[in-house]
Amino acid sequence: MKTVHARTLGLRIAALAAAGLVLTACNDDEAATGATGQGASSPAASASASTSAKPSGKPSGKPSSSAVTGGDAAARARTDKLALTPADWGAGFETRIDDDTSLAKFTMDKSCLYKEDGPDRTLVAYTNRFVRVQRPDGSQLWGTSGASQATTADAAHQEMAKWAADIRRCPDYKDDSGTQTTSAHDIESPKVPGADEVFSEEGLAVYHDDDGTTTPPRPYSSITARKGALTVWVFVDLAPDQQVFEGRAQARALLQKITAKW
């Protein structure tokens, strides 16, 4: 996860959101067999404004090709509802910027630049919500969560697979906002009840902060899950002194709040 369509914090999360992909609803609690990843969520992309949002292997279930039912308004209401509020994130979190609801398409070019590339005809609705929290040292940490509704389950699956391929080709990439992501890679994914595919991603990202400065490299953790034509994600930004497992645990807990509503 676009994040799958998560935009980078600067663009799409997560997104959410990346080199391998996919766990099915049958995956084990702790681990998953790899598959190909997602597009929703470029996690780091989500991070600077926010995921985006992939292991090796083969998806265990074949996505259906049935079209999404309901109009755009209904789909948008659904994605808005699934995106987490600052209160869902916990004490001290607040809205960072307005929700991203654009149905633009994002692609990774040959130079590993993740950029906007016209309208996305496979998207029916998209909501990426940005939060931030102030740390005792005065710095801020960011996060994103959201959901996208594609025209078909196959379209959502193909977007995830494309993102996985892009990350394998470009573990180090930039986005239009100037966010630099390095060492992006997939990790074992948790079991997500009802999900057709799950992708967990981690890496390091450098962002342009709200005050105009550039942050030091910071770890991130992102999880994206797909159920039919619906994709959801969460992107967690960590401080340099935090451990990766902290972000991993936070991302899993937050994703559970989203999938409990899908």
Side-chain angles (χ1 to χ4, degrees):
M1 150 35 103
K2 295 179 179 181
T3 201
V4 181
H5 301 37
R7 284 174 209 196
T8 73
L9 271 180
L11 290 176
R12 289 255 200 250
I13 138 169
L16 302 321
L21 148 71
V22 154
L23 288 188
T24 72
C26 304
N27 49 11
D28 293 336
D29 243 334
E30 283 299 355
T33 57
T36 45
Q38 145 208 323
S41 280
S42 150
S46 300
S48 88
S50 100
T51 180
S52 198
K54 311 149 184 165
S56 67
K58 200 174 182 181
S60 58
K62 183 178 180 181
S64 72
S65 57
S66 58
V68 173
T69 58
D72 290 359
R76 169 66 188 284
R78 186 182 190 188
T79 59
D80 283 353
K81 181 179 179 180
L82 288 168
L84 298 174
T85 66
D88 291 327
W89 284 76
F93 280 90
E94 61 182 10
T95 298
R96 183 178 179 214
I97 56 176
D98 291 341
D99 292 354
D100 175 6
T101 58
S102 166
L103 300 185
K105 180 180 181 180
F106 279 70
T107 58
M108 190 84 78
D109 70 12
K110 292 181 179 180
S111 66
C112 295
L113 174 66
Y114 187 60
K115 62 181 182 179
E116 187 171 347
D117 188 23
D120 191 333
R121 304 298 184 187
T122 69
L123 266 184
V124 177
Y126 175 90
T127 302
N128 197 31
R129 186 163 294 152
F130 306 97
V131 298
R132 64 183 175 187
V133 65
Q134 198 81 14
R135 300 197 69 211
D137 64 3
S139 64
Q140 291 182 0
L141 293 181
W142 306 321
T144 64
S145 65
S148 65
Q149 184 81 51
T151 51
T152 66
D154 186 62
H157 165 69
Q158 292 301 326
E159 180 66 16
M160 289 185 73
K162 183 178 184 301
W163 176 251
D166 284 343
I167 288 301
R168 287 195 294 270
R169 177 173 62 89
C170 297
D172 302 335
Y173 66 93
K174 295 180 181 179
D175 68 35
D176 282 347
S177 71
T179 296
Q180 174 77 54
T181 302
T182 60
S183 304
H185 61 280
D186 65 295
I187 62 170
E188 290 182 332
S189 292
K191 178 180 178 180
V192 177
D196 297 316
E197 297 178 326
V198 182
F199 177 76
S200 297
E201 176 186 342
E202 291 176 353
L204 296 173
V206 173
Y207 312 113
H208 291 298
D209 212 337
D210 290 343
D211 62 4
T213 60
T214 299
T215 69
R218 301 201 301 224
Y220 70 81
S221 185
S222 175
I223 307 177
T224 301
R226 180 184 68 80
K227 181 180 182 180
L230 180 68
T231 301
V232 297
W233 59 83
V234 62
F235 175 96
V236 174
D237 173 33
L238 298 174
D241 61 346
Q242 289 183 287
Q243 300 298 309
V244 172
F245 71 84
E246 296 179 72
R248 193 176 302 169
Q250 184 183 11
R252 292 183 177 190
L254 290 167
L255 188 73
Q256 287 179 348
K257 293 185 178 183
I258 299 178
T259 58
K261 301 184 287 182
W262 74 359

